[in-house]
Amino acid sequence: MKRTLVWLGGMATVTALLVASTGAANAISRGNMPAYCRGEVSAMYATKPMYVKTGKIVKARDGSLSIQGTVDKGSEGIKAFACRFDKKGNFIDVMAMTSDGE
């Protein structure tokens, strides 16, 4: 009986974590988009946010938003990227604009 209750408690925790992780993403405010973008880019390129430069937020015809910028990778050179957000402000991804020769 005790083992069953522990198992059920564990399953409830797992279920709660799954629901929380698959819930709707929180929109990023326009004011926070450049900083959020720098954080995502720095993680993608394994560098510090201080080496990431972002431009202005650009709105597309469909309402989606993007921020172009560059990241200084030292001896690897400067790489261009674009952070993309949907029209609600949800982060989509970072698109590399400079080929790494792969």
Side-chain angles (χ1 to χ4, degrees):
M1 175 77 171
K2 187 174 182 180
R3 212 162 46 176
T4 302
L5 289 176
V6 170
W7 182 82
L8 287 174
M11 290 304 295
T13 301
V14 169
T15 302
L17 288 172
L18 284 172
V19 169
S21 67
T22 59
N26 292 331
I28 311 299
S29 70
R30 283 181 73 111
N32 288 333
M33 283 181 183
Y36 191 89
C37 179
R38 284 190 296 275
E40 292 294 320
V41 170
S42 66
M44 179 177 166
Y45 286 96
T47 189
K48 295 180 181 178
M50 64 186 276
Y51 297 119
V52 179
K53 305 294 181 213
T54 54
K56 294 182 180 181
I57 298 171
V58 177
K59 187 174 185 176
R61 288 182 188 218
D62 67 357
S64 64
L65 305 166
S66 65
I67 302 173
Q68 293 191 353
T70 57
V71 57
D72 186 344
K73 290 286 292 165
S75 63
E76 295 178 39
I78 295 177
K79 310 290 184 182
F81 65 85
C83 287
R84 301 185 312 156
F85 299 85
D86 68 15
K87 60 185 170 185
K88 293 181 180 178
N90 296 310
F91 176 74
I92 298 171
D93 63 9
V94 175
M95 182 183 298
M97 307 300 280
T98 304
S99 173
D100 286 336
E102 296 175 357

